[in-house]
Amino acid sequence: MTQRQQWGIVAGVVLLLALVLGAGVHFLGDELFPVSVGSKAPPIHGVTLDSAKREKTLGDYKGKVVLLNVWATWCEPCRVEMPSIEKLHREFGPHGLSVVAISVDDPGAEQRVRDFVKELGLTFEVLHDPKQVTTRNYQITGYPETFLIARDGVIRKKLIGASDWSSEGNRALVRELLGGTTASR
């Protein structure tokens, strides 16, 4: 066997290993790289509900503390949780908290989402992601699912299911992430 043939075999083995590794990352990515507390927040995708629809990404909130809530209008626990998120937004929004709620309702459900927002009197940013890009990126397992993302883009809290965001524990964490500059209430 010549040296050229040996190098051809080595190159073939390296190529095969690269293909196996690439396939493993593609098919097992969620297991290899879970989205959890301490990990960098993946990209989000959502479209505004106003007449001049604009796509929004996590980059639009760079340098801010973000409460990311993934929800749907048909989700009863989502409906239960929304008033406490609104209360948190009203208290901490002026101090730098960006609340972003991404609806995963079906395509064409924009009016239903707008009606939901109006009915509950929500004043924080609500986006629509009918293709559920955010659901895939964040490995959402149920609704609602909420992530508290620090200014540096790292996930500091992950909650599956409804939570009372006006609880002292949740408020204390938000206050800490904002730099402790907000007054206790």
Side-chain angles (χ1 to χ4, degrees):
M1 181 179 293
T2 68
Q3 189 175 14
R4 185 177 183 154
Q5 290 171 324
Q6 289 174 343
W7 279 112
I9 291 172
V10 168
V13 169
V14 168
L15 181 62
L16 179 64
L17 289 173
L19 288 172
V20 169
L21 179 62
V25 168
H26 177 74
F27 292 108
L28 300 173
D30 290 353
E31 287 80 18
L32 295 173
F33 309 106
V35 176
S36 60
V37 173
S39 64
K40 192 80 171 164
I44 66 167
H45 173 14
V47 178
T48 60
L49 295 170
D50 53 13
S51 57
K53 295 180 194 290
R54 292 169 285 124
E55 287 192 18
K56 302 284 285 245
T57 67
L58 201 54
D60 292 309
Y61 310 98
K62 187 174 181 155
K64 296 190 175 257
V65 174
V66 177
L67 183 135
L68 174 64
N69 180 261
V70 185
W71 66 284
T73 58
W74 46 261
C75 165
E76 192 56 37
C78 301
R79 176 177 290 277
V80 169
E81 172 178 66
M82 287 293 181
S84 70
I85 293 176
E86 176 65 23
K87 186 175 178 183
L88 191 77
H89 165 69
R90 289 179 188 247
E91 180 177 352
F92 293 105
H95 302 285
L97 175 67
S98 292
V99 173
V100 182
I102 299 182
S103 165
V104 296
D105 284 88
D106 292 332
E110 291 83 3
Q111 188 57 51
R112 184 172 48 228
V113 176
R114 282 192 287 273
D115 291 345
F116 183 96
V117 168
K118 184 178 179 183
E119 176 188 341
L120 292 180
L122 305 177
T123 60
F124 50 81
E125 182 145 47
V126 176
L127 305 174
H128 188 214
D129 180 9
K131 295 179 182 176
Q132 299 191 12
V133 173
T134 303
T135 296
R136 284 189 300 281
N137 289 348
Y138 279 77
Q139 304 165 3
I140 302 295
T141 58
Y143 303 106
E145 198 157 320
T146 308
F147 300 83
L148 196 52
I149 304 167
R151 294 181 197 276
D152 61 1
V154 173
I155 297 170
R156 301 296 180 190
K157 185 169 189 158
K158 174 182 177 178
L159 282 170
I160 300 170
S163 181
D164 178 6
W165 286 97
S166 58
S167 73
E168 187 48 43
N170 284 331
R171 290 171 64 248
L173 178 56
V174 170
R175 193 177 304 111
E176 177 185 328
L177 292 175
L178 290 171
T181 59
T182 61
S184 260
R185 292 186 187 186

